[in-house]
Amino acid sequence: MLSRIAESLFWIGRYLERADDTARILDVELQVLVEDPMIDEEHSCRQLLKVMGIEELPSVVNRWTVLDLLAHNPDSYSSIASTVDAARENARGARETLSTDMWAAINTMWRGLPSARAMRSTDMFAWVRNRTAMIAGIADSTMTRDEGWQFFVLGRSIERVDMTARLLSTASLAGEAQLAWPTTLRACGAYEAFIRAYRGVEADGLAAEFLLLDRWFPRSVVSALVEAEKALSTLEAGGRRSGFSDEALRLLGRARTELEYRPLAEIVYDLPTEMERLQRSCAAASESVTSRYFSLAESRVWSEGVTL
């Protein structure tokens, strides 16, 4: 497969997942702010923006600042508007490999975004989640399971690990709020699955365990890491009797085993730091994928998922 096409499919997966998960994170944050008036809004918003990688902030930070930088502002590389635009641009570059239905779904989402930005915040987040779910379903039913599919799944899985880690950090930092973890589970679509798994017992530690380690829930960190490893293993040409020639596979495998085989209490003790380490592993794995598979002449230059 051409490096240009593979790269576009990888980033389509990442950008769509980023838009979806950013909507989920914002939904958690704003619900907690509304339902718990005791929270320091400015401090909470600054923490969220820091978790999302935004360092340069205005003097006044509140929920409207968060909505601008993470939802509406097309010039903010972390915003939903920016990521949807980037996904559409990559889809346009890989138009010959996408089904008509998938291209139409991505293009329709891009065209509908200005109207969605005029909705109430909660309605916009639901719209983004529904549209990205629709595109994922169309991709699942119309893409052949060739290299292009593997790059799409790889990008989506790496981004899901990274963004779930950010979501867990956000919930942990809002740990004094009683509704932080239940709201986080609902934002991931995990609340009912969590209640069934733990037979109605609700506890912050169990919620963190579920979103980190549950192998059967597709949005958990470990489940997404396994999917990324499977995609990389399929892309790896030829088997090796020992070791790994793919640095990204080694990085993701080590991140997964460190989560699975360390005591949960040790991970949860300083969850934001652990999640930051996981995000660095995802960034290093993404850089390794880029340098290995997208280094041909027609490949574009990327930095942290943003075209230069």
Side-chain angles (χ1 to χ4, degrees):
M1 173 171 285
L2 287 175
S3 172
R4 173 181 60 82
I5 300 299
E7 183 182 34
S8 292
L9 290 167
F10 176 80
W11 286 106
I12 289 170
R14 288 205 68 165
Y15 282 130
L16 290 174
E17 185 66 29
R18 188 177 301 177
D20 182 16
D21 289 336
T22 301
R24 293 173 185 275
I25 289 171
L26 287 172
D27 203 15
V28 170
E29 178 71 11
L30 294 182
Q31 282 193 52
V32 170
L33 287 176
V34 168
E35 295 177 14
D36 191 340
M38 300 303 293
I39 291 179
D40 183 337
E41 179 174 335
E42 181 175 357
H43 178 68
S44 180
C45 290
R46 286 186 181 276
Q47 283 186 321
L48 174 61
L49 292 171
K50 183 178 179 181
V51 166
M52 296 300 289
I54 298 178
E55 300 293 341
E56 297 184 7
L57 300 176
S59 57
V60 177
V61 176
N62 52 33
R63 69 189 68 186
W64 310 115
T65 310
V66 167
L67 282 171
D68 178 60
L69 293 176
L70 296 182
H72 302 310
N73 190 340
D75 296 324
S76 173
Y77 72 86
S78 296
S79 73
I80 293 171
S82 175
T83 52
V84 171
D85 184 66
R88 193 259 188 182
E89 190 63 22
N90 278 275
R92 196 164 64 89
R95 179 67 186 87
E96 64 269 32
T97 64
L98 299 179
S99 67
T100 300
D101 288 344
M102 188 170 175
W103 162 250
I106 294 173
N107 197 46
T108 299
M109 183 179 185
W110 176 74
R111 289 185 176 277
L113 193 60
S115 298
R117 287 160 62 186
M119 300 176 183
R120 291 191 312 162
S121 298
T122 53
D123 292 338
M124 176 189 173
F125 302 150
W127 181 86
V128 171
R129 290 163 60 177
N130 289 338
R131 297 303 305 186
T132 53
M134 180 187 296
I135 295 168
I138 291 171
D140 184 70
S141 61
T142 63
M143 290 183 69
T144 56
R145 280 11 182 202
D146 56 6
E147 288 184 349
W149 169 257
Q150 301 303 331
F151 280 114
F152 177 80
V153 170
L154 177 60
R156 181 177 66 187
S157 299
I158 289 177
E159 190 67 30
R160 181 170 292 179
V161 173
D162 180 84
M163 295 299 283
T164 302
R166 295 175 193 266
L167 186 61
L168 287 164
S169 294
T170 303
S172 178
L173 291 169
E176 296 180 0
Q178 289 185 332
L179 295 170
W181 283 104
T183 304
T184 300
L185 288 166
R186 287 189 173 92
C188 290
Y191 187 76
E192 290 78 12
F194 169 78
I195 291 296
R196 288 196 298 271
Y198 292 97
R199 301 184 183 278
V201 178
E202 293 190 42
D204 293 354
L206 294 179
E209 179 183 56
F210 187 78
L211 292 175
L212 277 170
L213 302 175
D214 193 275
R215 297 184 183 93
W216 293 357
F217 183 66
R219 299 200 70 86
S220 78
V221 170
V222 163
S223 180
L225 284 169
V226 168
E227 287 300 309
E229 288 180 76
K230 286 180 181 177
L232 282 169
S233 297
T234 302
L235 290 168
E236 177 78 6
R240 288 174 59 91
R241 294 186 63 172
S242 62
F244 297 97
S245 61
D246 192 321
E247 177 68 7
L249 186 57
R250 186 186 66 80
L251 288 165
L252 295 176
R254 186 172 67 183
R256 177 181 55 79
T257 53
E258 284 183 354
L259 286 175
E260 288 191 300
Y261 294 102
R262 286 171 61 197
L264 178 66
E266 185 179 314
I267 300 172
V268 175
Y269 177 74
D270 189 4
L271 195 56
T273 299
E274 295 293 338
M275 294 302 96
E276 186 177 348
R277 180 193 298 178
L278 184 58
Q279 291 167 44
R280 287 197 297 268
S281 295
C282 289
S286 182
E287 184 178 347
S288 177
V289 169
T290 299
S291 63
R292 176 166 186 176
Y293 294 105
F294 311 144
S295 57
L296 300 180
E298 70 266 26
S299 180
R300 285 159 293 180
V301 179
W302 297 83
S303 174
E304 298 180 356
V306 183
T307 52
L308 298 178

